[in-house]
Amino acid sequence: MARESEDAGIAKASKVKRQRKKKTKENKTRIVHANILYDHAKGEENPNRHYANNKIKTTKYTVLSFLPKNLFEQFHRFANVYFVFIALLNFVPVVNAFQPELALAPVVFILSVTAIKDLWEDYRRHRSDKEINHMDCLVYSRADKRYVEKYWKEVRVGDFIRLRCNEILPTDVLLLSSSDPDRLCHIETATLDGETNLKQRQVVRSFFELDCDFDPLKYNSIIECEKPNNDLNRFRGYIIHRSGRRDALYKENLLLRGCTIRNTEEAVGIVIYAGHETKAMLNNNGPRYKRSKLERQMNVDVFWCVIILLVMCLFAAVGHGLWMFQYGDKRPVFDVLSPEGTDLSPIMSAIYLLLTMIIVFQVLIPISLFVSIEIVKICQVYFIHQDMDLYDEETDSHLQCRALNITEDLGQMQYIFSDKTGTLTENKMVFRRCTVAGVEYSHDANARRLAMYQEMDSEEEECTSHGGTLPRRDSVSSHQSARVVLRSHSTKSHRRTGSRAEAKRASILSKHTAFSSPMEKDITPDPQLLNKVNECSNQMDFMRFHSQSMSQLPSDLSDIIDFFIALTICNTVVVSSPNQPRQKVWAKVPSQSPVKTIEDFIKRFTPSRLTSGSNSSSSSNSTLTKLDEEHPGSLDHAFSTVLPCYDGKACTPEEGELRYEAESPDEAALVYAARAYKCSLVGRLPDQVTVELPHLGKLNFELLHTLGFDSTRKRMSVVVRHPLTDQITVYTKGADSVIMDLIKPPDTDTAGRKRQKKIVFRTQSYLNLYAADGLRTLCIAKKILSKEEYACWLQHHLEAETSIQGREQLLFESALRLETNLHLLGATGIEDRLQDGVPETIASLRKAGLQIWVLTGDKQETAVNIAYACKLLDPEEEILTLNADSQVSSSNQNFTDSINPSSSPLSSSSFHTTPFTVHRLGLVIDGRTLAYALDKSLEDKFLAIARSCRSVLCCRSTPLQKSMVVKLVRNKLKVMTLAIGDGANDVSMIQVADVGVGISGQEGMQAVMASDFALPRFRYLQKLLLVHGHWCYSRLANMILYFFYKNAMFVALIFWYQFYCGFSGSAMIDQWYLIFFNLMFSAFPQLITGTLDKDVSAETLQQLPQLYVNGQNSEEYKPYMFWMNMIDAIYQSLICFFVPYFAYAGSDVDLFTWGTPITTLALFTILLHLGIETKTWTRMNWLSIIFSIALFFTVALCYNASCPTCYSPSNLYWTMQRLLQDPLFYLLSGVTPVAALLPRYFYRACQGTLFPSPVQVGRQLDKLPAETRRNILSLSRVKVGSPVHLKPPFLSLTKPSPKGYAKKDQRSFPTSKISQAKQMPVLQTDEEKGQRSPVGPIDSEKGLLDLYTLVPTKVDTLASTKEAPTFAREQQNPVTKDSECLDKTLESSALSLSSWITSTPLLTQADSVQLALPPHGGSQCVKYTRNSEERLSSDHTVHPVHRTEQSLHTTL
Amino acid sequence: MGRAKRKPGPLARRPDNSAFKQQRLPAWSPMLTANTVLPFFYFMALICMLLGVWLLLTVQGTQEIKLDYTEAGTCDKCFEKRKNVSSAAESCICKVVFLVEKPFKGDVFFYYGLQNFHQNLRRYMDSRDDGQLVGRKSNLKEPSSYCEPFAKDQNGLPIAPCGAVANSFFNDSFTLTYYGSSGDPVKVPLLRTGITWYTDKNVKYRNPQIDNLTLAQVFEGTAKPLYWKKPVYELDPLDPTNNGFINDDLIVWMREAAFPNFKKLYGVLYHDKLFTDGLPAGNYSIDISYNFPVQYFQGRKEVVLTTLTWFGGQNYFLPIAYLVTSSLILLIAVILTVAWWKFGKKGKNMEE
């Protein structure tokens, strides 16, 4: 440690130097030279000497600085300062109340406990630092001319280090050489961002062409780069060679500290940032400190305590002054003069007394409260950690509490803001269906396969014996074995096939490969599409064979093949095969990096090459043949039509099965989908992509550019040279909203134009359909560039690439220039499956009175449908949709005007109808509208609407908006908010909320890093909040109240005594008892109760979520309760004081012989009081109470026997011993606590008997035998859990879910038509305003048609509802009831038009009731409707009725 | 699940399934409802009632006589005398006569009492030096600062015993005389030693021990407290072992009373001749050496003759407290019973 401090000193000195240097030389960049050039100069000359070395020190203290620094930190807490002040006050003779040394004891105790805790933590940090600092790595030594082993801490900026496979990077290293033939280095960044897929890093371009091994001695370049910063995704700089050539450096060249080298045998790099300046260390922020609501409330009451204390002290001081005054000039013998022998004036002695009283009464401000709360919270965190129910077997992870001091906030949440993807859903993308060239391929078999998985998920338990699971397990384990080969360090135990759960877990563990579960991998192709693909490739093969131009292919077929090619190559998926990691086997093709310079371009695109298509195709052919030679039979193998495995059919997994690692799961899903059509990605190099096509074999696509995905563009593109046509082709994949706008039909031929228009139109309608299904949609498009166009674009692009300033912006613009006039190929629908138990969790959280808002970046339709699936939106709800895009698009200024009139009547209407509709509304708002709603002028209105809605769904929201929404709700509504999310886009929201919860899922660790609690699964939120939150809150609330009571009661005893001792500040309770009472004698039982007490059992809490309201309304600790406790404390102290007083009145008792029984009685009373408040008595409770009493008597006896003179001024010699022989003492002990606790006991008994709170009812339920309890709970669930089903009158006014539509489509078509017609006014207004409704013209036209043909009255609606024959299977009651309700609402004049039209008046009762019927089976219902929808998919083309819903969106 | 055995690897972080860690410790959870509380209430009421009655009967067997002698009998002239500072040093003897109607049976205790004398003032209480009283020679010559301003006299001599408590030592003395049926005055024998706690006399208070020196020599070089008439080693002229710091009266005085109205033991009746069974009924007189001034603080002085029960003097409070508590519990129990009978009985758990 001493050495450490020395080092710190050096570091500090160097820091100072660096700062000085900064002043003199304004360097905004860092310049790194190679160290070996300066070896002999021993540092002085080394230009790198000012940079931090690689020694890390995360400890806060050193041996020397520990005491002052720790004390300084502790004194930041006001309470500590206060107590030290009081302790020091004791050293002033005139005011001292206690033995000064003794008065220091509690403060010293508290401070030292905290200090020891800090010291221990710091020691652990020191240990781990030391371990890290002493790891080995290879550093090039000039003297030895080779790499020598050095400790990490000895590595300096400018050193060359050599890294071997599976080594952890010690610093941020610029990659200069790699053993990989492609000059790549793969790293795993799990420790940084939690992403377990491998990332590629490239050797700096200038070192790319080095044939031989990199020789550090020949290195003589200078690197200029950014100052150290914490942005993991940015690194800019350039390397200046001796020749003066400059090469740009990118983040792809930088290997970050903490990452692991994978799949690369050796890499050499130069250290750029070291130690604390590495990006990983700069990103490493300490834990967060939040103050919980309960603590805030507590602080208010602490403040009250201070006031009470001051009042008491003042009272005593004035009393003493008056008491002195009454004796006038003649001083009684017992009045002691000041030490100097002079008279003290009454005023002076009153002032002295005030200070004395503060010391005596200090106990009122509970010094141990803060420590106790901390201890209890640590215990609570421990128990939450230990909960088996919060442990996820699959990922072997359990809940992490990252913030230790807000556990009780979990019990007080009112609003939950949830992300959708990865939080509600699994973020496991499964390819569901696609549409190519305007033709939909529904993939029914695939859907059936997925349904099977779903079933199996639900019956997880029986799977071991289930035959059907075997093939799956096999595939998993085969996969597993592959993994093991690849990563020798990974545990072999995974290979053992055990239960299904284990296999599943193993598959998740093997998430290194991002995609491994067979559910995601094996896609059953649509036979129709498969045929077309085969046909198409056959033709192409034929054409190639006959050297015909590929462009003669029928356009629909070429679209299909292009579609799959796009799926295959337009991504960043990395291929690896288990036997041959990372395509090492490929013969080294002449290296062709992406075109980087104009010369390069000219060189590579010389007319000869460009014109002679045969040349290139022959080259690809040559590669092909070469490959054939190398892998005899591999082509045959690929060509043999092996159907991809899927469940039910045992199939042998392919030996050399390729695995895809993708940065985002949907990319991999698409690649797997393409593979199912035998269009498989077999290799990816920086400059080429190899695709295997049926009949065509392996084709090498020369990769010219990759324009990566970004959230602004919402698309990615690749520029390739098509090996068959030799055209420069751009494949673009992206969100439909952006792609659709970029589609431009060819100008030239009208047929193609018409066709394309048709395709666009159809695709759009399918896209809407997919979205309605809750699928994630992506559009695939392509564009063929002429060489001139390309050259022109390339020039700009290269300029953009090489510029250092504003490079991102330029690249962005460059990408925009490229991605225009696209040709639409098709669209895909990917399913993001809901996590287990999400609907149930949401339902029970909602029953618990929590408002759940979903904030998602997804598009509205997808989000709405997921919301229905997870029961966030109820089919019976009215949905208010706020979509302002159209208004905005017409004019930004108009928006405020238009939203105002629309939102204000609405909000007023919802206020009018609040009693009816408060639980019946769902609000859907999209990002653009949200931006306006969050505006200062509108936020109140927005909140007013949102509050009256049962659920709110914000789609298309940016991370910033998410956090703004949370902030708005939190600040304006003054509610407790919880934000839960899993991705980096949720970080801001998580940080803003009172409690941030991260899902440790697939999207990396950023959310977890920012969160207070990290959960493996969304469903664990239920137990975390309902059980642990409730417990933590009620435990802590009760403990705090008890603390206040305890201290007040104890201090009041002394206060009463002041009336009998001339307010002189003397205390009948000895200083020892006074000081240690709180700290020792009464401390343990309350800690035990605060840690272990359970007011209601976990089971009941989960089954009766209503009990959560207890915490939300802060019912355990309301402000009045503090005062009630104070009054109780006063009463009890009066009893405890006056019973002994009168019992001893007029006797010859001395002060402490009388005071000690009072102390004892107070202890008994306080402990019994705790006993009344304790709900569950475990062994620990008994033990702690017995221990407390025993401790008191032991200490008292020892203290009273130890020394007759030591503890002046008080002297209790032999008092306790005498007392224990005194019968009066026992008689007092009998009656006083009984009398003192009588009122509270009576109150509790009355409350428990006559008006039990819900929590008490819950406790009573706990006591019942299990059987009865279950019955009652099931009863109560029907009654309480679904009050909405019984009361509200708007049942018939609710909105059907799209699924409902789909079903009804089939069953009662007229009804749906009517419902459509109902919405017509809306559509009409939309049209009148000339707004572009996202639905597209068909619907509007159709809707209009319906309107004119059917113009139904509301009564008609009713009639038809009643008549609908399909409803026969439902109970008749709801229907009639509904109709009554409807009648009522019709009469109700309060119902404004706007709310009328936004609702779809016709409920498909069938659906809604059916959805509500099965008590548990939310998911089953959803599944059922989905299935039905799939069956109906063909109908949709004719009647895409559900989309009318969208037209509704424009009403606001 | 068909897991054969738990492997250490994959499920390493799985929490223990122990009752403690899963918060499932077996627990007794009492429910504070009428059903459980009422029996307890009735039981407590009964217990308290019985105890109360028993205590009451016991207390009624005691006897007590209180006699305020501040201005009673011939003491009024002494009272006047003590008002005047100039005559403070003069001795004054007075007599108070009283009648005992019923004989005192058993042990009889003779107390003197003071009213409105705040022995419990903080500064007063602290103004003593336990080190000196336990006989430490260093403290004898150099009293603790707690004794200020009664640590040294004007001449700078250390005061022994120092401090305000000792300084205000109660210095009235009493002689109790019985006028029997014959009319002859018989001096009632009082034990004037053995009235302290054993530990006080033998542990807490010790005289400084110096070999071969008399007590007076030991205390040489110290001054007597300001208000005292004789030095500490001459407190009891009759019993040389009862002098110095171990004088019983001093020890009794030094045990500071809890309340401003207090009594302190002066003597215990010695069961001798006439008084073997206690104090017989008849006329008594007390001869008082009236020294202690109380008029400055509106104090009163009294003597108390009393017999004791096993739990203390004649104090009706404790039995009454028991009886009142008992009746309160009973009252509450009845109220609760009625309320429960009327409202709370119907399925309390079905309310939700």
Side-chain angles (χ1 to χ4, degrees), chain A residues 444-503:
Chain A
D444 290 335
N446 197 32
R448 277 197 295 279
R449 180 183 65 87
L450 289 173
M452 270 178 74
Y453 280 115
Q454 205 153 24
E455 265 162 40
M456 280 191 311
D457 266 345
S458 55
E459 50 196 50
E460 204 163 302
E461 300 299 304
E462 317 149 20
C463 276
T464 8
S465 56
H466 211 268
T469 59
L470 274 169
R472 283 184 67 205
R473 210 192 302 155
D474 280 350
S475 77
V476 167
S477 62
S478 78
H479 203 75
Q480 207 47 53
S481 61
R483 227 180 76 74
V484 171
V485 171
L486 181 66
R487 297 188 203 300
S488 50
H489 69 279
S490 71
T491 50
K492 289 219 163 61
S493 59
H494 293 193
R495 296 176 71 176
R496 213 180 308 158
T497 45
S499 69
R500 205 196 77 86
E502 198 177 311

Side-chain angles (χ1 to χ4, degrees), chain A residues 1399-1412:
Chain A
S1399 68
T1400 314
L1402 247 177
L1403 163 71
T1404 53
Q1405 281 94 339
D1407 292 331
S1408 59
V1409 179
Q1410 191 221 350
L1411 279 173

Side-chain angles (χ1 to χ4, degrees), chain B residues 182-314:
Chain B
S182 59
D184 298 333
V186 181
K187 191 176 174 226
V188 179
L190 285 179
L191 287 173
R192 296 278 282 112
T193 54
I195 53 176
T196 63
W197 291 17
Y198 176 83
T199 51
D200 284 5
K201 181 94 177 174
N202 295 292
V203 183
K204 244 171 112 171
Y205 295 87
R206 301 274 74 199
N207 279 324
Q209 289 293 318
I210 298 171
D211 295 334
N212 309 325
L213 290 183
T214 61
L215 211 51
Q217 287 167 317
V218 169
F219 280 100
E220 208 174 290
T222 63
K224 65 176 173 36
L226 284 177
Y227 297 167
W228 284 22
K229 291 198 175 111
K230 39 191 177 180
V232 69
Y233 46 87
E234 287 171 10
L235 281 177
D236 192 347
L238 303 175
D239 182 358
T241 60
N242 194 22
N243 270 321
F245 294 147
I246 54 169
N247 178 270
D248 272 27
D249 285 337
L250 178 68
I251 293 174
V252 167
W253 179 255
M254 292 303 283
R255 186 163 279 280
E256 298 111 337
F259 313 115
N261 305 333
F262 60 88
K263 62 186 185 190
K264 283 185 184 289
L265 196 54
Y266 186 76
V268 184
L269 177 72
Y270 180 61
H271 296 285
D272 188 25
K273 297 174 207 162
L274 276 174
F275 308 104
T276 38
D277 296 332
L279 280 184
N283 286 316
Y284 290 83
S285 75
I286 304 172
D287 295 300
I288 301 160
S289 166
Y290 198 110
N291 298 314
F292 199 75
V294 290
Q295 60 275 30
Y296 300 125
F297 51 92
Q298 296 91 44
R300 313 292 297 175
K301 299 195 280 191
E302 61 189 13
V303 288
V304 182
L305 275 170
T306 182
T307 59
L308 295 181
T309 63
W310 52 272
F311 63 90
Q314 191 188 46

Side-chain angles (χ1 to χ4, degrees), chain A residues 380 383-391 399 401 407 409-413 416 836-838 840-842 844-845 848 850 978 980 997 1013 1015-1033 1035 1094 1096-1103 1105 1108, chain B residues 15-24:
Chain A
Q380 286 176 344
F383 279 122
I384 295 176
H385 261 276
Q386 291 297 327
D387 193 334
M388 288 238 299
D389 294 344
L390 300 181
Y391 169 78
L399 178 133
C401 296
T407 45
D409 266 354
L410 290 174
Q412 299 198 277
M413 286 302 138
I416 293 182
D836 287 349
V838 166
E840 291 85 351
T841 307
I842 288 189
S844 86
L845 288 178
L850 286 156
L978 179 146
I980 179 166
V997 179
F1013 298 90
L1015 290 173
R1017 298 253 148 192
F1018 181 77
R1019 76 180 128 110
Y1020 295 143
L1021 195 61
Q1022 181 180 355
K1023 187 160 190 197
L1024 181 66
L1025 291 186
L1026 297 188
V1027 178
H1028 289 292
H1030 178 95
W1031 280 348
C1032 289
Y1033 167 70
R1035 285 167 181 173
K1094 298 191 285 188
V1096 188
S1097 73
E1099 293 76 34
T1100 311
L1101 279 174
Q1102 292 200 70
Q1103 282 158 346
Y1108 189 74
Chain B
D16 283 356
N17 190 10
S18 65
F20 175 70
K21 287 187 176 176
Q22 299 305 317
Q23 305 193 51
R24 284 197 311 259

